[in-house]
Amino acid sequence: MRSTERWIWAATALALLLRLPRVVSRWDEVALAYAAYWEPTARSLRELELADALTGWTGLHPPLYGLFLGALEALLPSPLIFLLSSVFFSTLAVYAVGRLGGALAALVLATSPIQLSYAAEPNN
């Protein structure tokens, strides 16, 4: 493994360590409210009403956002899954940026205060 790749993995691990505590701080009534927010999509998916699941989303998010979170809700109805998926994708972004921009870019994204504050938001 090259030195640069090791630094990218180190930045990714640091990103995960910094983002996981955000799950605890976001575990509150807001996370539970979001579970109710995409429940109609989850219900449509459970009933195999795919047309309703694709067109019934009324939120301000991109169409696949509701479908993704509705599928998570249908499979495992827990706000913890929503929060952890945000941490996962935020950490994955650090790795992707590192592969494209180098270890320093990954480190900047891993420690960015704005990225850390939104790392476990179910809204993102």
Side-chain angles (χ1 to χ4, degrees), residues 39-110:
E39 194 278 330
T41 303
R43 186 180 59 246
S44 296
L45 288 171
R46 279 192 302 272
E47 296 170 359
L48 297 177
E49 297 289 339
L50 298 180
D52 287 344
L54 289 171
T55 60
W57 182 250
T58 58
L60 300 174
H61 307 294
L64 291 180
Y65 177 85
L67 193 60
F68 171 72
L69 293 174
L72 284 179
E73 170 72 18
L75 294 173
L76 187 60
S78 170
L80 179 63
I81 299 303
F82 311 139
L83 300 173
L84 287 175
S85 68
S86 186
V87 168
F88 171 75
F89 287 117
S90 178
T91 303
L92 185 62
V94 171
Y95 179 76
V97 165
R99 296 291 295 180
L100 293 172
L104 183 59
L107 185 61
V108 168
L109 186 60

